[in-house]
Amino acid sequence: MRAVTAYLGLGSNVGDRERHIRDALTQLGQVPGVSVVAVSTLRETEPVGGPPQGAFLNGAAEVSTTLPAAALLAICKQLESDAGRDLNAPRNHPRTLDLDILLFGDMRIDARDFRVPHPRLMERPFVLEPLAELGVDCDAIDIPSRPAVIRSAEEFAALNTEWLSGGCVTGLVPTMGALHEGHASLLRIARGECDRVAATIFVNPLQFGPGEDLERYPRDLDKDLEVLRSEDVDAVYAPAAAAMYPDGFCSELDVGEEARELEGASRPGHFRGVVTVVAKLFALARPTIAYFGRKDAQQVAVLRRMVADLDFPLRVRECPTLREPDGLAMSSRNAYLEAEDRLAATALYRGLDAARQRHRAGEGDADALRRAALEIIEAEPRVELEYLELRRDGDLGPLPPGPVADGRLLVAARVGNARLIDNISLLEPAD
Ligand code: AMP
């Protein structure tokens, strides 16, 4: 292999810091196929994140190597371990030695624990300054922006293939954009569980019926990118409708009877559109885990069924509903509410909560529980109820006969310009 110029970040904040770094460089230079060409000055740096700890000594080294990047990484890890570093310690903990591959020629690597160029390079003066000292033109380094904004199916599939072949656990968070705190909570859960997180933003025409709000659905990609950036999302797939459904598109998935009730009855064709687009997203992303909100409980039930029926090898993760302080479930459609309708809309949650309180107080009659919610919702003249149903939790089938032990109460209503849905479990603690 031809020699490649690589740059390493050097750091230590435990024990004889300079010795740890110098010894590692000496040993590195003795590895066949590696020579240390230049070393920057070492500088004192305050630690970033992690528990309280001593200052770092940081610098950078230029090496020339005929080894592949993965082999150089393995050597760096071995040197860290030889210096007494606990490689299983949490991120940002004190360490005897830190050797990061910052750059490896002009190669781009996106594997599980190995990204080159180092993704946080540009945020770290204690890396940039020593690199500049070694003659690297840091402004010319092409670090992919995060999240990567992807418009084409091929590109999204290729990125996911790269992640999967790098051994990553990948998370997919499908959305229609106009992101709010509810979406952010899904992204946060995904970030905590996955090596790579992709969101999708697509206002899917297939799941909107005639006369619904497809045209006026809020769209603001720039604002959404801010949310995605602050939740540390790796990529967002935001295709145009013509890229998702090119001319000649004619294959759709269908759903069974269960998906023709509740939302399926109010919005004929809605779930056909949902399963079709989500199946397409799964085919491209092949996520390990797909994240959906319980706010759309029937959507989760329908998608779980689809995943089981069609053998998608992934896990559907249902995440709790985020609410405004007055109980209204967060929704992109809340933006349609005028001030008075916004107040009236709280009747939905107040109604659901009243039924839950009655159940908690010992009421086991399904009609009585439903009436408890109805009394509150119907007292609000601005709310036009579409359905209010008590169902079995999970698959949302009919409740078994006899006293109600458990269940999920689901509601849909028009309030002013908005059609809103919500649901709660009778067993969920009051929030
Ligand atoms: P949407 O953009 O409305 O299609 O929603 C995208 C995902 O976010 C879906 O899985 C929703 O269930 C979820 N979601 C929407 N609103 C909330 C909320 N208030 N709390 C938690 N998840 C939500």
Side-chain angles (χ1 to χ4, degrees):
M1 191 172 144
R2 261 191 353 183
V4 171
T5 299
Y7 291 88
L8 306 183
L10 315 168
S12 170
N13 76 335
V14 174
D16 187 341
R17 301 170 305 169
E18 180 159 0
R19 219 178 100 235
H20 290 309
I21 294 174
R22 301 269 178 223
D23 285 355
L25 290 171
T26 306
Q27 288 172 47
L28 186 63
Q30 287 162 4
V31 174
V34 183
S35 57
V36 178
V37 178
V39 181
S40 74
T41 50
L42 301 177
R43 63 212 63 216
E44 288 277 328
T45 312
E46 283 312 307
V48 182
Q53 55 191 293
F56 274 83
L57 209 54
N58 280 117
E62 177 184 337
V63 302
S64 172
T65 181
T66 51
L67 299 179
L72 183 62
L73 177 71
I75 290 161
C76 291
K77 292 260 169 269
Q78 185 60 51
L79 290 171
E80 287 177 345
S81 170
D82 291 350
R85 176 171 178 181
D86 174 5
L87 296 182
N88 295 318
R91 245 177 92 189
N92 295 334
H93 268 236
R95 44 208 180 268
T96 46
L97 183 64
D98 210 0
L99 291 181
D100 289 333
I101 301 183
L102 305 171
L103 299 169
F104 192 87
D106 53 10
M107 202 162 163
R108 217 178 67 79
I109 301 168
D110 198 353
R112 183 163 184 248
D113 288 321
F114 188 30
R115 289 202 238 192
V116 177
H118 195 285
R120 281 173 292 281
L121 192 81
M122 291 310 197
E123 297 154 24
R124 297 178 166 176
F126 61 86
V127 176
L128 292 176
E129 286 164 17
L131 278 179
E133 202 185 307
L134 295 174
V136 176
D137 177 3
C138 294
D139 293 334
I141 302 172
D142 180 21
I143 298 196
S145 66
R146 295 181 72 235
V149 180
I150 298 174
R151 302 285 187 180
S152 88
E154 293 73 20
E155 207 186 317
F156 189 47
L159 179 65
N160 281 281
T161 301
E162 189 179 347
W163 289 348
L164 292 170
S165 55
C168 297
V169 169
T170 63
L172 181 73
V173 185
T175 81
M176 297 203 299
L179 301 181
H180 49 68
E181 226 358 79
H183 298 111
S185 73
L186 268 58
L187 297 167
R188 223 165 286 148
I189 294 171
R191 185 71 281 169
E193 295 177 347
C194 301
D195 301 309
R196 297 291 185 276
V197 176
T200 66
I201 294 182
F202 182 62
V203 183
N204 176 31
L206 275 195
Q207 72 189 66
F208 285 74
E212 291 189 5
D213 55 343
L214 174 62
E215 267 78 44
R216 67 183 174 123
Y217 197 86
R219 292 162 171 90
D220 189 342
L221 186 61
D222 286 341
K223 226 164 123 216
D224 288 348
L225 287 175
E226 268 171 43
V227 176
L228 298 171
R229 207 168 290 127
S230 67
E231 298 305 333
D232 202 19
V233 168
D234 297 289
V236 56
Y237 177 46
M244 185 66 95
Y245 303 118
D247 280 349
F249 177 89
C250 64
S251 308
E252 280 183 58
L253 289 181
D254 204 353
V255 288
E257 280 307 315
E258 304 83 357
R260 303 215 180 99
E261 301 174 3
L262 304 165
E263 283 303 280
S266 295
R267 306 181 67 190
H270 171 66
F271 285 122
R272 284 178 57 133
V274 170
V275 293
T276 300
V277 79
V278 171
K280 281 170 67 74
L281 296 175
F282 285 174
L284 292 176
R286 291 147 289 149
T288 321
I289 312 175
Y291 295 82
F292 297 94
R294 192 174 294 147
K295 151 87 167 41
D296 299 278
Q298 195 184 8
Q299 172 169 276
V300 176
V302 168
L303 289 172
R304 277 195 197 288
R305 191 70 249 173
M306 176 190 86
V307 163
D309 289 345
L310 302 183
D311 302 317
F312 279 99
L314 56 84
R315 192 152 72 82
V316 169
R317 174 90 149 79
E318 186 178 354
C319 306
T321 301
L322 255 77
R323 300 180 177 282
E324 301 290 352
D326 61 8
L328 179 68
M330 291 184 182
S331 164
S332 308
R333 291 187 165 102
N334 291 349
Y336 300 152
L337 295 167
E338 314 267 345
E340 282 190 54
D341 295 327
R342 169 66 187 78
L343 277 178
T346 60
L348 301 184
Y349 178 71
R350 286 188 284 115
L352 298 177
D353 190 43
R356 176 166 58 190
Q357 306 285 358
R358 282 285 282 279
H359 181 259
R360 193 167 297 155
E363 180 60 76
D365 179 65
D367 285 336
L369 290 169
R370 209 175 152 271
R371 274 200 310 276
L374 220 46
E375 266 168 32
I376 291 179
I377 296 171
E378 291 190 330
E380 179 48 72
R382 290 175 173 272
V383 174
E384 197 186 311
L385 186 66
E386 252 179 43
Y387 65 75
L388 174 72
E389 290 205 32
L390 187 53
R391 293 294 184 101
R392 192 165 60 206
D393 204 359
D395 66 1
L396 306 181
L399 276 182
V404 177
D406 185 5
R408 185 163 289 275
L409 190 57
L410 302 106
V411 67
R414 289 195 171 278
V415 186
N417 294 321
R419 180 180 183 279
L420 303 177
I421 60 173
D422 198 357
N423 67 86
I424 56 165
S425 152
L426 294 178
L427 298 185
E428 256 168 39
D431 32 27

